[in-house]
Amino acid sequence: MIRVAIIGATGYTASESLAILLRHTDAEATYLTALPEECGPMAEIFGVLRDRIDLDVVPLDLARAAELADVVLCCLPHKVSMGFVPQLLEAGLKVVDYSADYRLRDVAVYEAYYKVEHTDRDNIARAAFGLPELFRESIVGKDLVANPGCYPTCAVLGLAPLVREGLIGSDDIVVNMVSGASGAGRRPGLAFHFPEMNENYFAYAVGTHRHMPEIEQVLSDVAGRPVTVLFQPHVAPFTRGMLATVYANPTRSVSQAELDDLYTEAYGDEVFVRLPGRPPQITAIAGTNYCDVWATTAKGKVIVFSALDNLVKGAAGQAIQNMNLLFGLDEATGLL
Ligand SMILES: NC(=O)c1ccc[n+]([C@@H]2O[C@H](COP(=O)([O-])OP(=O)(O)OC[C@H]3O[C@@H](n4cnc5c(N)ncnc54)[C@H](OP(=O)(O)O)[C@@H]3O)[C@@H](O)[C@H]2O)c1
Protein backbone atom coordinates (compact mmCIF):
# COMPACT_ATOMS: atom_id res chain seq x y z
CA MET A 1 0.00 0.00 0.00
CA ILE A 2 1.40 3.42 -0.96
CA ARG A 3 1.30 5.78 2.01
CA VAL A 4 0.29 9.30 1.06
CA ALA A 5 0.80 12.56 2.94
CA ILE A 6 -1.14 15.67 1.95
CA ILE A 7 0.24 19.11 2.74
CA GLY A 8 -2.19 22.02 2.56
CA ALA A 9 -4.89 19.54 3.55
CA THR A 10 -7.55 22.16 4.25
CA GLY A 11 -7.80 23.27 0.59
CA TYR A 12 -10.09 22.19 -2.25
CA THR A 13 -7.53 20.18 -4.21
CA ALA A 14 -6.55 18.37 -1.00
CA SER A 15 -10.12 17.33 -0.18
CA GLU A 16 -10.60 16.19 -3.78
CA SER A 17 -7.37 14.18 -3.54
CA LEU A 18 -8.56 12.54 -0.34
CA ALA A 19 -11.90 11.62 -1.89
CA ILE A 20 -10.01 9.85 -4.71
CA LEU A 21 -7.66 8.11 -2.26
CA LEU A 22 -10.68 6.70 -0.43
CA ARG A 23 -11.52 4.82 -3.66
CA HIS A 24 -7.91 3.83 -4.39
CA THR A 25 -7.08 0.15 -3.97
CA ASP A 26 -3.29 0.59 -3.63
CA ALA A 27 -2.81 3.89 -1.80
CA GLU A 28 -4.11 5.44 1.40
CA ALA A 29 -3.81 8.81 3.10
CA THR A 30 -1.69 8.48 6.23
CA TYR A 31 -0.67 12.02 7.18
CA LEU A 32 -2.47 15.33 6.67
CA THR A 33 -0.95 18.69 7.49
CA ALA A 34 -1.89 22.37 7.51
CA LEU A 35 -1.09 25.59 9.31
CA PRO A 36 -1.56 25.16 13.09
CA GLU A 37 -4.66 27.40 13.23
CA GLU A 38 -6.43 25.27 10.60
CA CYS A 39 -5.78 21.86 12.18
CA GLY A 40 -8.41 19.43 13.49
CA PRO A 41 -10.30 16.32 12.41
CA MET A 42 -10.43 16.17 8.59
CA ALA A 43 -14.02 14.89 8.72
CA GLU A 44 -15.04 18.11 10.46
CA ILE A 45 -13.13 20.39 8.10
CA PHE A 46 -14.88 18.80 5.08
CA GLY A 47 -18.37 17.47 5.90
CA VAL A 48 -18.31 15.30 2.77
CA LEU A 49 -15.61 13.21 4.49
CA ARG A 50 -17.63 12.61 7.68
CA ASP A 51 -17.62 8.93 8.69
CA ARG A 52 -15.28 8.19 5.79
CA ILE A 53 -11.94 9.18 7.27
CA ASP A 54 -10.51 9.14 10.77
CA LEU A 55 -7.41 11.32 10.38
CA ASP A 56 -6.58 14.60 12.08
CA VAL A 57 -4.94 17.45 10.19
CA VAL A 58 -1.79 18.34 12.14
CA PRO A 59 1.06 20.85 11.75
CA LEU A 60 3.82 19.51 9.48
CA ASP A 61 6.62 17.57 11.19
CA LEU A 62 9.13 16.50 8.53
CA ALA A 63 10.45 13.51 10.44
CA ARG A 64 6.90 12.28 10.99
CA ALA A 65 6.07 12.77 7.28
CA ALA A 66 9.10 10.69 6.29
CA GLU A 67 8.13 8.00 8.77
CA LEU A 68 4.45 7.81 7.80
CA ALA A 69 4.50 8.41 4.03
CA ASP A 70 6.13 7.39 0.76
CA VAL A 71 4.82 10.29 -1.29
CA VAL A 72 3.54 13.80 -0.63
CA LEU A 73 0.73 15.50 -2.50
CA CYS A 74 1.80 19.11 -2.03
CA CYS A 75 -1.45 21.11 -2.30
CA LEU A 76 0.03 24.50 -1.42
CA PRO A 77 -0.26 27.79 -3.32
CA HIS A 78 2.51 28.82 -5.71
CA LYS A 79 5.35 30.66 -3.94
CA VAL A 80 4.59 28.68 -0.74
CA SER A 81 5.30 25.28 -2.26
CA MET A 82 8.94 25.93 -3.09
CA GLY A 83 9.54 26.58 0.63
CA PHE A 84 8.50 23.01 1.45
CA VAL A 85 9.45 20.84 -1.54
CA PRO A 86 13.27 20.83 -1.05
CA GLN A 87 12.92 19.55 2.52
CA LEU A 88 10.43 16.89 1.50
CA LEU A 89 12.77 15.61 -1.23
CA GLU A 90 15.70 15.69 1.18
CA ALA A 91 13.67 13.58 3.61
CA GLY A 92 13.48 10.91 0.89
CA LEU A 93 9.85 11.49 -0.07
CA LYS A 94 8.50 11.57 -3.60
CA VAL A 95 6.53 14.75 -4.29
CA VAL A 96 3.69 15.63 -6.62
CA ASP A 97 3.45 19.41 -6.45
CA TYR A 98 0.16 21.09 -7.42
CA SER A 99 1.56 24.61 -7.61
CA ALA A 100 3.31 26.40 -10.48
CA ASP A 101 6.68 26.50 -8.73
CA TYR A 102 8.32 23.71 -10.76
CA ARG A 103 6.38 23.95 -14.03
CA LEU A 104 8.20 26.74 -15.89
CA ARG A 105 11.73 25.85 -16.96
CA ASP A 106 12.75 29.47 -17.48
CA VAL A 107 13.17 31.05 -14.04
CA ALA A 108 13.04 34.55 -15.53
CA VAL A 109 9.58 33.81 -16.96
CA TYR A 110 8.44 32.41 -13.59
CA GLU A 111 9.72 35.47 -11.76
CA ALA A 112 8.14 37.87 -14.27
CA TYR A 113 4.68 36.25 -14.09
CA TYR A 114 4.63 35.28 -10.38
CA LYS A 115 6.41 38.44 -9.22
CA VAL A 116 8.61 36.68 -6.71
CA GLU A 117 12.17 35.38 -6.65
CA HIS A 118 12.40 31.62 -7.18
CA THR A 119 14.09 30.17 -4.10
CA ASP A 120 14.58 26.57 -5.27
CA ARG A 121 16.03 26.86 -8.78
CA ASP A 122 18.05 23.65 -8.48
CA ASN A 123 14.99 21.44 -8.32
CA ILE A 124 13.25 22.88 -11.38
CA ALA A 125 15.27 20.66 -13.72
CA ARG A 126 14.60 17.69 -11.47
CA ALA A 127 10.82 17.94 -11.97
CA ALA A 128 8.87 16.07 -14.62
CA PHE A 129 5.98 17.98 -16.18
CA GLY A 130 3.07 15.79 -15.14
CA LEU A 131 0.88 15.58 -18.20
CA PRO A 132 0.86 11.80 -18.70
CA GLU A 133 -0.89 11.78 -22.07
CA LEU A 134 2.07 13.70 -23.55
CA PHE A 135 5.06 13.02 -21.31
CA ARG A 136 4.42 9.64 -19.68
CA GLU A 137 7.95 8.30 -20.20
CA SER A 138 9.58 11.28 -18.52
CA ILE A 139 7.41 10.96 -15.40
CA VAL A 140 8.21 7.33 -14.63
CA GLY A 141 11.20 7.04 -12.29
CA LYS A 142 11.16 10.69 -11.12
CA ASP A 143 10.81 11.82 -7.51
CA LEU A 144 9.33 15.26 -8.25
CA VAL A 145 6.37 15.88 -10.53
CA ALA A 146 5.13 19.36 -11.37
CA ASN A 147 1.42 18.77 -11.79
CA PRO A 148 0.23 21.05 -14.62
CA GLY A 149 -2.23 23.90 -14.16
CA CYS A 150 -5.89 23.27 -14.90
CA TYR A 151 -6.14 25.74 -17.80
CA PRO A 152 -2.91 24.42 -19.43
CA THR A 153 -4.04 20.79 -19.13
CA CYS A 154 -7.34 21.60 -20.82
CA ALA A 155 -5.90 23.84 -23.57
CA VAL A 156 -2.87 21.68 -24.31
CA LEU A 157 -4.78 18.39 -24.56
CA GLY A 158 -7.08 20.14 -27.03
CA LEU A 159 -4.30 21.62 -29.15
CA ALA A 160 -1.44 19.09 -28.98
CA PRO A 161 -2.42 16.94 -32.00
CA LEU A 162 -2.75 20.03 -34.22
CA VAL A 163 0.53 21.70 -33.26
CA ARG A 164 2.41 18.39 -33.44
CA GLU A 165 1.23 17.95 -37.03
CA GLY A 166 1.82 21.63 -37.92
CA LEU A 167 -1.82 21.84 -39.02
CA ILE A 168 -2.29 25.26 -37.40
CA GLY A 169 -0.08 28.36 -37.30
CA SER A 170 2.31 28.86 -34.37
CA ASP A 171 1.62 32.52 -33.58
CA ASP A 172 -2.09 33.20 -34.06
CA ILE A 173 -3.81 30.78 -31.67
CA VAL A 174 -6.54 32.28 -29.46
CA VAL A 175 -7.42 30.26 -26.35
CA ASN A 176 -10.67 31.45 -24.82
CA MET A 177 -11.59 29.70 -21.57
CA VAL A 178 -14.15 29.71 -18.79
CA SER A 179 -13.69 28.19 -15.35
CA GLY A 180 -15.95 27.46 -12.40
CA ALA A 181 -15.31 29.36 -9.17
CA SER A 182 -13.46 26.57 -7.31
CA GLY A 183 -10.46 27.33 -9.55
CA ALA A 184 -9.64 30.20 -7.19
CA GLY A 185 -9.26 27.93 -4.16
CA ARG A 186 -11.06 27.88 -0.82
CA ARG A 187 -9.84 31.11 0.69
CA PRO A 188 -12.59 33.68 -0.02
CA GLY A 189 -12.00 36.77 -2.16
CA LEU A 190 -14.42 39.58 -3.03
CA ALA A 191 -14.87 38.58 -6.70
CA PHE A 192 -16.00 35.13 -5.59
CA HIS A 193 -18.34 36.32 -2.81
CA PHE A 194 -21.78 34.83 -3.63
CA PRO A 195 -23.60 38.10 -4.55
CA GLU A 196 -20.69 39.12 -6.79
CA MET A 197 -20.37 35.75 -8.51
CA ASN A 198 -23.99 34.60 -8.76
CA GLU A 199 -25.60 35.29 -12.18
CA ASN A 200 -22.30 36.84 -13.24
CA TYR A 201 -19.65 36.07 -15.88
CA PHE A 202 -16.45 38.02 -16.31
CA ALA A 203 -13.01 38.07 -17.92
CA TYR A 204 -9.90 38.62 -15.84
CA ALA A 205 -6.09 38.82 -16.18
CA VAL A 206 -6.39 40.22 -19.71
CA GLY A 207 -3.21 39.33 -21.60
CA THR A 208 -1.36 38.57 -18.36
CA HIS A 209 -2.60 35.26 -16.93
CA ARG A 210 0.13 33.13 -15.36
CA HIS A 211 -0.94 30.03 -17.24
CA MET A 212 -0.20 31.65 -20.62
CA PRO A 213 3.58 30.97 -20.57
CA GLU A 214 2.91 27.45 -19.31
CA ILE A 215 0.60 26.72 -22.24
CA GLU A 216 3.21 28.17 -24.61
CA GLN A 217 6.07 26.17 -23.08
CA VAL A 218 4.26 22.86 -23.41
CA LEU A 219 2.89 23.49 -26.91
CA SER A 220 6.38 24.53 -28.04
CA ASP A 221 7.78 21.28 -26.63
CA VAL A 222 5.12 19.29 -28.48
CA ALA A 223 5.58 21.21 -31.74
CA GLY A 224 9.39 21.32 -31.62
CA ARG A 225 9.26 25.03 -32.47
CA PRO A 226 8.12 28.18 -30.62
CA VAL A 227 4.35 28.41 -30.24
CA THR A 228 2.64 31.51 -28.83
CA VAL A 229 -0.97 31.83 -27.74
CA LEU A 230 -3.30 34.57 -26.63
CA PHE A 231 -5.02 33.08 -23.60
CA GLN A 232 -8.10 34.77 -22.14
CA PRO A 233 -9.72 33.27 -19.02
CA HIS A 234 -13.23 33.95 -17.68
CA VAL A 235 -15.08 32.86 -14.55
CA ALA A 236 -18.71 31.75 -14.43
CA PRO A 237 -20.95 30.79 -11.50
CA PHE A 238 -20.62 27.03 -11.50
CA THR A 239 -18.50 25.32 -8.87
CA ARG A 240 -16.30 23.00 -10.90
CA GLY A 241 -15.29 22.43 -14.49
CA MET A 242 -13.76 24.46 -17.32
CA LEU A 243 -14.20 24.75 -21.08
CA ALA A 244 -11.74 25.97 -23.71
CA THR A 245 -12.82 27.28 -27.10
CA VAL A 246 -9.71 27.68 -29.24
CA TYR A 247 -9.53 29.46 -32.60
CA ALA A 248 -6.61 28.90 -34.98
CA ASN A 249 -5.76 29.35 -38.65
CA PRO A 250 -5.10 26.10 -40.52
CA THR A 251 -1.85 25.93 -42.48
CA ARG A 252 -3.71 24.11 -45.27
CA SER A 253 -7.20 22.93 -46.01
CA VAL A 254 -8.29 20.24 -43.56
CA SER A 255 -11.43 18.08 -43.53
CA GLN A 256 -13.52 16.92 -40.57
CA ALA A 257 -12.55 13.31 -41.36
CA GLU A 258 -8.86 14.23 -41.22
CA LEU A 259 -9.33 15.99 -37.87
CA ASP A 260 -11.27 13.05 -36.48
CA ASP A 261 -8.52 10.63 -37.58
CA LEU A 262 -5.81 12.87 -36.10
CA TYR A 263 -7.47 12.99 -32.67
CA THR A 264 -8.31 9.28 -32.70
CA GLU A 265 -4.68 8.50 -33.47
CA ALA A 266 -3.50 10.82 -30.68
CA TYR A 267 -5.96 9.79 -27.99
CA GLY A 268 -7.64 6.56 -29.06
CA ASP A 269 -5.64 4.59 -26.48
CA GLU A 270 -5.85 7.20 -23.73
CA VAL A 271 -8.21 6.32 -20.90
CA PHE A 272 -8.76 9.91 -19.80
CA VAL A 273 -9.21 11.75 -23.08
CA ARG A 274 -12.61 11.22 -24.67
CA LEU A 275 -13.66 12.30 -28.14
CA PRO A 276 -17.41 13.02 -28.01
CA GLY A 277 -17.66 14.16 -31.68
CA ARG A 278 -19.47 17.36 -30.65
CA PRO A 279 -18.81 20.32 -28.34
CA PRO A 280 -18.13 18.96 -24.86
CA GLN A 281 -20.18 20.04 -21.88
CA ILE A 282 -19.20 20.80 -18.30
CA THR A 283 -21.83 18.44 -16.86
CA ALA A 284 -20.26 15.53 -18.78
CA ILE A 285 -16.84 15.95 -17.13
CA ALA A 286 -17.69 17.33 -13.68
CA GLY A 287 -16.44 15.03 -10.93
CA THR A 288 -14.40 12.89 -13.38
CA ASN A 289 -10.78 12.65 -14.52
CA TYR A 290 -11.81 12.90 -18.19
CA CYS A 291 -10.91 15.61 -20.64
CA ASP A 292 -13.42 15.76 -23.52
CA VAL A 293 -12.06 17.17 -26.80
CA TRP A 294 -13.55 17.98 -30.20
CA ALA A 295 -11.91 19.73 -33.16
CA THR A 296 -13.80 21.05 -36.15
CA THR A 297 -13.67 23.82 -38.79
CA ALA A 298 -15.85 26.88 -39.46
CA LYS A 299 -15.37 29.98 -41.60
CA GLY A 300 -11.88 28.89 -42.61
CA LYS A 301 -10.73 28.48 -38.97
CA VAL A 302 -9.99 25.41 -36.93
CA ILE A 303 -11.98 25.44 -33.67
CA VAL A 304 -11.07 23.15 -30.78
CA PHE A 305 -13.27 22.58 -27.75
CA SER A 306 -11.85 20.97 -24.62
CA ALA A 307 -13.43 20.49 -21.19
CA LEU A 308 -12.32 19.01 -17.87
CA ASP A 309 -12.94 19.29 -14.15
CA ASN A 310 -10.39 21.76 -12.76
CA LEU A 311 -10.28 19.95 -9.42
CA VAL A 312 -9.90 16.46 -10.92
CA LYS A 313 -8.12 16.20 -14.31
CA GLY A 314 -6.99 19.79 -13.67
CA ALA A 315 -5.49 18.98 -10.25
CA ALA A 316 -6.17 16.06 -7.85
CA GLY A 317 -7.05 13.37 -10.41
CA GLN A 318 -4.07 14.16 -12.60
CA ALA A 319 -1.83 14.22 -9.49
CA ILE A 320 -2.96 10.74 -8.55
CA GLN A 321 -2.54 9.62 -12.18
CA ASN A 322 1.06 10.86 -11.82
CA MET A 323 1.47 9.23 -8.41
CA ASN A 324 0.32 5.92 -9.91
CA LEU A 325 3.00 6.28 -12.60
CA LEU A 326 5.69 7.01 -10.00
CA PHE A 327 4.87 3.77 -8.23
CA GLY A 328 4.47 1.58 -11.30
CA LEU A 329 0.71 1.17 -10.88
CA ASP A 330 -1.93 1.17 -13.59
CA GLU A 331 -2.31 4.89 -14.25
CA ALA A 332 -6.10 4.77 -13.85
CA THR A 333 -6.14 3.15 -10.41
CA GLY A 334 -8.67 4.96 -8.20
CA LEU A 335 -9.74 7.26 -11.02
CA LEU A 336 -12.45 5.42 -12.94
N1 LIG B 1 -8.43 24.94 -7.37
C1 LIG B 1 -8.10 24.46 -8.57
O1 LIG B 1 -8.97 24.25 -9.43
C2 LIG B 1 -6.67 24.14 -8.90
C3 LIG B 1 -6.40 23.51 -10.12
C4 LIG B 1 -5.07 23.21 -10.46
C5 LIG B 1 -4.05 23.54 -9.58
N2 LIG B 1 -4.34 24.16 -8.41
C6 LIG B 1 -3.22 24.49 -7.52
O2 LIG B 1 -3.29 23.64 -6.39
C7 LIG B 1 -2.76 24.32 -5.25
C8 LIG B 1 -3.82 24.29 -4.16
O3 LIG B 1 -5.00 24.91 -4.66
P1 LIG B 1 -6.38 24.88 -3.88
O4 LIG B 1 -7.44 25.31 -4.82
O5 LIG B 1 -6.52 23.60 -3.13
O6 LIG B 1 -6.12 26.08 -2.83
P2 LIG B 1 -6.81 26.35 -1.44
O7 LIG B 1 -8.18 25.75 -1.41
O8 LIG B 1 -6.68 27.80 -1.18
O9 LIG B 1 -5.87 25.53 -0.44
C9 LIG B 1 -4.51 25.88 -0.26
C10 LIG B 1 -3.96 25.16 0.98
O10 LIG B 1 -2.65 25.65 1.27
C11 LIG B 1 -2.63 26.19 2.59
N3 LIG B 1 -1.71 27.32 2.73
C12 LIG B 1 -1.85 28.55 2.20
N4 LIG B 1 -0.79 29.33 2.53
C13 LIG B 1 0.02 28.56 3.30
C14 LIG B 1 1.28 28.76 3.94
N5 LIG B 1 1.93 29.94 3.86
N6 LIG B 1 1.82 27.74 4.63
C15 LIG B 1 1.20 26.55 4.72
N7 LIG B 1 0.01 26.29 4.14
C16 LIG B 1 -0.56 27.27 3.43
C17 LIG B 1 -4.05 26.61 2.83
O11 LIG B 1 -4.26 26.74 4.21
P3 LIG B 1 -5.42 27.72 4.76
O12 LIG B 1 -6.56 26.81 5.03
O13 LIG B 1 -4.80 28.29 5.98
O14 LIG B 1 -5.70 28.76 3.72
C18 LIG B 1 -4.79 25.42 2.22
O15 LIG B 1 -4.69 24.29 3.05
C19 LIG B 1 -2.42 25.75 -5.71
O16 LIG B 1 -1.06 25.81 -6.02
C20 LIG B 1 -3.27 25.90 -6.96
O17 LIG B 1 -2.74 26.84 -7.87
C21 LIG B 1 -5.62 24.46 -8.04
Side-chain angles (χ1 to χ4, degrees):
M1 199 58 115
I2 302 163
R3 301 167 309 154
V4 185
I6 302 182
I7 296 187
T10 53
Y12 283 154
T13 59
S15 75
E16 196 69 30
S17 304
L18 251 176
I20 296 169
L21 287 172
L22 289 170
R23 305 191 294 266
H24 201 293
T25 49
D26 299 293
E28 63 177 344
T30 53
Y31 190 56
L32 307 177
T33 82
L35 293 169
E37 60 272 24
E38 305 293 332
C39 291
M42 190 65 174
E44 280 180 24
I45 295 168
F46 288 103
V48 71
L49 297 170
R50 199 178 306 276
D51 293 339
R52 298 169 69 201
I53 182 155
D54 188 22
L55 274 180
D56 282 349
V57 180
V58 297
L60 174 64
D61 173 336
L62 259 186
R64 202 81 185 113
E67 189 187 318
L68 292 176
D70 306 302
V71 60
V72 175
L73 303 181
C74 192
C75 299
L76 295 170
H78 55 81
K79 306 178 192 177
V80 176
S81 217
M82 61 186 163
F84 288 81
V85 168
Q87 310 164 54
L88 297 168
L89 293 170
E90 225 161 88
L93 290 153
K94 291 181 188 287
V95 178
V96 181
D97 181 44
Y98 291 37
S99 85
D101 289 354
Y102 299 91
R103 293 180 198 149
L104 292 170
R105 282 194 301 271
D106 186 336
V107 177
V109 173
Y110 176 90
E111 293 183 346
Y113 274 84
Y114 289 86
K115 310 218 178 313
V116 67
E117 187 189 342
H118 203 295
T119 56
D120 185 29
R121 294 166 177 233
D122 290 349
N123 280 320
I124 295 175
R126 183 171 176 173
F129 191 84
L131 190 46
E133 287 76 10
L134 299 182
F135 307 117
R136 189 166 283 121
E137 290 72 29
S138 70
I139 298 165
V140 175
K142 284 285 193 333
D143 55 7
L144 174 58
V145 176
N147 211 49
C150 45
Y151 284 126
T153 299
C154 191
V156 167
L157 286 175
L159 278 164
L162 290 167
V163 300
R164 193 189 289 126
E165 280 302 303
L167 269 182
I168 53 173
S170 302
D171 59 1
D172 50 6
I173 302 167
V174 178
V175 179
N176 201 38
M177 296 191 71
V178 58
S179 169
S182 64
R186 199 177 190 206
R187 196 166 273 190
L190 179 61
F192 299 95
H193 185 46
F194 183 77
E196 308 281 333
M197 185 80 254
N198 188 40
E199 308 286 357
N200 202 356
Y201 179 99
F202 54 87
Y204 66 105
V206 179
T208 61
H209 197 280
R210 291 160 166 171
H211 285 169
M212 190 150 51
E214 188 179 328
I215 296 170
E216 292 179 334
Q217 173 183 291
V218 183
L219 288 178
S220 301
D221 287 348
V222 170
R225 63 184 182 284
V227 174
T228 57
V229 300
L230 173 59
F231 164 51
Q232 182 53 57
H234 303 75
V235 184
F238 44 86
T239 301
R240 52 166 74 222
M242 58 176 37
L243 174 72
T245 304
V246 182
Y247 306 94
N249 290 313
T251 49
R252 62 172 172 76
S253 143
V254 56
S255 69
Q256 186 65 51
E258 194 179 348
L259 287 174
D260 291 345
D261 286 350
L262 182 72
Y263 279 76
T264 302
E265 198 182 311
Y267 296 130
D269 293 334
E270 292 295 341
V271 182
F272 294 120
V273 182
R274 300 187 300 194
L275 305 173
R278 59 193 163 99
Q281 299 203 4
I282 298 289
T283 50
I285 49 76
T288 80
N289 198 49
Y290 294 111
C291 179
D292 285 359
V293 177
W294 187 52
T296 190
T297 57
K299 289 272 193 181
K301 303 259 184 215
V302 173
I303 309 180
V304 186
F305 302 95
S306 179
L308 54 73
D309 186 321
N310 54 298
L311 291 174
V312 191
K313 183 60 175 164
Q318 182 139 269
I320 287 172
Q321 203 181 338
N322 282 314
M323 182 196 80
N324 289 339
L325 280 171
L326 294 184
F327 288 88
L329 298 177
D330 181 327
E331 199 171 307
T333 311
L335 293 166
L336 291 172

